[in-house]
Amino acid sequence: TNYDILVLNLNSKTGLYQELYIMKNIFSPDSFLIKGLTLFCDLMYLNALFIICSLPIFTIGASTTALYSVIFKRIRGEEVKIAKTYFHEFKANFKQATLFWIPYLLLVVFLGSDVYITHSVLPEEYRFLQYPVSIALFLLVYITVLVFPQMALFNSPTRQIIKNSAILGLINFPVIGMVFIVHIFILLIADLSPKCRVMVISLLLFFGFAGLAYFFCLFYRKIFLKILQKDEEDNPDAENTASSDEENADGKDNTPII
């Protein structure tokens, strides 16, 4: 009948409208899918910039700081131009990050080489000599995990940053322990077979460095937010007078970008 045909047409149109509504929500700029794809593309781009800027080796400190800086701003919800922001932060943090990175790298290589030589060359009864050096190497890496994230967020002297990193590392042992476990897990996967090694290297070159940094920054940000909130509670009358046009000689804002 005409009534049945009318009902059928209405149902068809209603179903079509529902499908269009669902598709519109899925492909909306604010949808979870589009936000996820945008983040993935940004991390791929950021990962490529990080690898290119880290090729000279001595620039790894500055490139790591710039990586964290862009990611912190991205997590904060700021609209960032990946390349422009990355190179700005790379330039702004180059001196401080490099002056820390080069001695740090030399010390890690020295201690790591000592452990390797002691383990590989000396007889088994003398291998206990590697334990003090291994502990020193572990502590060195442990207390400096938060150095580059702090350089990305705060305009502080290097000595103060190292001190804060050591204290925060001890206080936030679960987070730093998780960072170590993730890295050890990746190394174990890579050591399983040549295929696994190629797979791990491919993922790291594709988006892995930036992806890991993004994941870790979700936890680092909570650590630093607690500090800022505590400072605000201890100094309720303190006002933040830093502005975007008040930069120091290194081009860094005094305001943390957390």
Side-chain angles (χ1 to χ4, degrees), residues 3 34-35 76 80 85 109 120 136 145 174 179 233 239 254-255:
Y3 176 77
I34 298 302
K35 285 184 176 180
R76 190 183 181 186
V80 294
T85 306
V109 170
S120 304
V145 167
V179 173
E233 292 174 358
E239 295 182 357
N254 291 325
T255 308

Side-chain angles (χ1 to χ4, degrees), residues 3-242:
Y3 176 77
D4 293 332
I5 295 175
L6 179 61
V7 170
L8 181 61
N9 289 335
L10 289 175
N11 290 334
S12 300
K13 289 182 179 180
T14 301
L16 179 61
Y17 290 147
Q18 289 177 345
E19 291 179 3
L20 290 174
Y21 179 76
I22 292 173
M23 294 294 290
K24 181 180 179 181
N25 287 339
I26 290 177
F27 294 102
S28 169
D30 296 327
S31 68
F32 180 79
L33 175 63
I34 298 302
K35 285 184 176 180
L37 290 175
T38 302
L39 174 61
F40 183 72
C41 292
D42 286 348
L43 291 178
M44 287 176 55
Y45 189 18
L46 192 57
N47 198 73
L49 293 175
F50 171 75
I51 292 174
I52 293 171
C53 292
S54 298
L55 289 178
I57 306 299
F58 73 91
T59 59
I60 290 179
S63 60
T64 303
T65 305
L67 175 69
Y68 281 125
S69 181
V70 175
I71 289 177
F72 277 125
K73 290 182 179 182
R74 187 70 169 70
I75 293 175
R76 190 183 181 186
E78 294 184 21
E79 293 291 334
V80 294
K81 295 181 179 179
I82 301 297
K84 182 178 180 180
T85 306
Y86 184 88
F87 286 116
H88 171 77
E89 296 297 333
F90 182 90
K91 180 181 178 181
N93 293 284
F94 182 83
K95 181 179 179 181
Q96 183 181 29
T98 304
L99 288 177
F100 168 78
W101 166 251
I102 292 178
Y104 172 77
L105 176 63
L106 293 175
L107 190 55
V108 169
V109 170
F110 173 76
L111 293 175
S113 300
D114 190 282
V115 172
Y116 176 78
I117 293 172
T118 304
H119 180 77
S120 304
V121 177
L122 293 181
E124 188 172 353
E125 59 267 23
Y126 294 106
R127 288 184 181 175
F128 69 92
L129 296 174
Q130 70 181 313
Y131 298 144
V133 183
S134 300
I135 294 173
L137 178 61
F138 171 78
L139 292 176
L140 174 64
V141 176
Y142 184 90
I143 66 176
T144 54
V145 167
L146 295 174
V147 165
F148 292 121
Q150 282 188 90
M151 287 184 181
L153 289 173
F154 303 103
N155 182 23
S156 302
T158 303
R159 182 178 297 180
Q160 185 64 41
I161 286 177
I162 296 173
K163 179 181 177 182
N164 291 343
S165 178
I167 295 173
L168 292 173
L170 293 174
I171 296 175
N172 298 276
F173 173 77
V175 174
I176 309 303
M178 178 269 297
V179 173
F180 272 83
I181 290 173
V182 170
H183 283 91
I184 292 173
F185 178 76
I186 293 173
L187 292 175
L188 291 176
I189 293 295
D191 194 50
L192 289 177
S193 68
K195 288 184 179 180
C196 291
R197 193 174 300 113
V198 171
M199 179 189 69
V200 169
I201 293 174
S202 299
L203 289 175
L204 289 175
L205 293 177
F206 188 52
F207 77 100
F209 293 110
L212 286 173
Y214 187 91
F215 175 72
F216 295 146
C217 281
L218 295 175
F219 297 91
Y220 295 160
R221 187 170 184 265
K222 293 180 180 179
I223 293 174
F224 297 130
L225 278 174
K226 290 178 181 178
I227 299 174
L228 293 177
Q229 291 171 355
K230 187 176 185 302
D231 288 343
E232 290 176 357
E233 292 174 358
D234 294 340
N235 303 284
D237 297 329
E239 295 182 357
N240 186 4
T241 58

